[in-house]
Amino acid sequence: MSLNLRHFASAVVALWPLAAPACAEDIPSPVLRAELVDGWQTTAGTEMAALHLVLAPGWKTYWRAPGEAGIPPRFDWSGSENLASVAFHWPRPEIFDLNGLRTFGYHDELVLPIELTPRDRARPIRVRVGVDIGVCDDICVPMSLDLSGDLAPRGALVAAIRQALADAPEPAAAAGLSAARCDAEPIRDGMRLTSRLTLPSVGPDELAVFELSDQTIWISPADTRRSGAELRATADLVPATAKPFAVNRSDIRITIFGGTGRVVELQGCAG
């Protein structure tokens, strides 16, 4: 599978700030270059591609869960044709601390593998995606990208995509997870979630991050503590209604950062 690169070269990026920054004269040009990178057809019949971002020196962009002060990325695939579903394979992010606020993201460059499932395998996928992201240095600039192109079958493998796939977080089972329990209790404006993971140490200064598929639910930074073989993390979850709600434990994703670049991830936990 390959992308029609000549088509992308002529329709690569429409990108602009969504809001006027406080210090526009401090923003280099360009802050960001973006393209879709061609990949291959998988054995499952899906198409592997990637979003490739190149940032100006010193600038960074954010992971799917950006942290306390980051801007979450948003993708709109509604303009695409023959596209049934999209799966992202995020490489493990870095931790950034700025003025006491912790964020997660990437500096200099990001190759984000994207797996596309066609509705009809006999026809090519026509991609059109709108992407809203934030890029930050001393200031943060929300930006919009408009990318489009055709996917054609039987292209060459791309080393950068393969490396990004290899840089994914380590599955918790492979890291020695033997038990994962989550307990939820109602609070005034939502729910308090506590996970208890029987997991060997991932590294010093372990940090857990909770995610739900519903990204409208605000999740506080988790209070993460280790006691022997158990890693315990607690966070508050607040929906737009600011009321207690039901938490589907199979929908809970937990990512553990080890402080030395090691990242471990699991999906779902028992009640």
Side-chain angles (χ1 to χ4, degrees):
M1 187 278 292
S2 65
L3 301 178
N4 184 330
L5 293 182
R6 286 180 296 176
H7 181 89
F8 277 118
S10 62
V12 172
V13 186
L15 107 113
W16 55 89
L18 296 177
C23 301
E25 66 274 11
D26 296 331
I27 301 176
S29 181
V31 173
L32 174 70
R33 292 188 291 109
E35 63 179 342
L36 290 171
V37 179
D38 60 331
W40 62 92
Q41 188 174 59
T42 72
T43 56
T46 59
E47 310 286 351
M48 189 66 73
L51 174 65
H52 180 211
L53 304 179
V54 178
L55 296 123
W59 288 73
K60 61 182 179 291
T61 192
Y62 293 102
W63 185 46
R64 61 173 189 251
E68 297 175 80
I71 300 172
R74 295 287 184 264
F75 297 83
D76 179 7
W77 301 90
S78 60
S80 301
E81 299 176 12
N82 194 37
L83 181 62
S85 63
V86 177
F88 296 95
H89 299 276
W90 290 89
R92 59 181 181 268
E94 298 177 62
I95 299 176
F96 301 105
D97 288 296
L98 179 64
N99 299 324
L101 298 176
R102 181 182 289 119
T103 60
F104 305 91
Y106 311 90
H107 73 280
D108 296 336
E109 185 177 24
L110 169 63
V111 175
L112 172 58
I114 303 172
E115 191 170 359
L116 309 171
T117 301
R119 295 185 184 277
D120 182 353
R121 293 188 184 182
R123 296 191 298 114
I125 297 173
R126 167 72 179 179
V127 172
R128 173 122 194 202
V129 57
V131 187
D132 292 336
I133 61 172
V135 295
C136 292
D137 187 8
D138 293 329
I139 59 174
C140 288
V141 183
M143 289 191 164
S144 177
L145 294 74
D146 186 11
L147 301 168
S148 63
D150 297 311
L151 302 182
R154 291 184 306 221
L157 299 179
V158 175
I161 302 179
R162 297 181 68 179
Q163 183 60 55
L165 289 169
D167 287 340
E170 183 181 352
L177 178 75
S178 57
R181 177 181 176 86
C182 290
D183 297 314
E185 59 176 317
I187 56 176
R188 179 181 56 82
D189 53 357
M191 300 295 291
R192 179 160 293 145
L193 179 67
T194 298
S195 69
R196 295 176 175 85
L197 309 179
T198 305
L199 175 73
S201 175
V202 176
D205 303 318
E206 290 170 303
L207 172 68
V209 175
F210 291 114
E211 295 175 79
L212 298 175
S213 58
D214 185 352
Q215 295 182 332
T216 67
I217 296 173
W218 178 82
I219 303 177
S220 72
D223 177 24
T224 309
R225 302 183 184 187
R226 176 168 288 278
S227 177
E230 183 180 85
L231 185 69
R232 175 172 174 163
T234 301
D236 291 346
L237 284 57
V238 180
T241 59
K243 296 179 180 179
F245 65 103
V247 177
N248 182 350
R249 289 171 175 81
S250 66
D251 185 44
I252 299 169
R253 176 158 47 188
I254 307 173
T255 305
I256 302 100
F257 293 80
T260 56
R262 190 178 177 199
V263 182
V264 170
E265 188 172 275
L266 70 146
Q267 181 70 47
C269 45

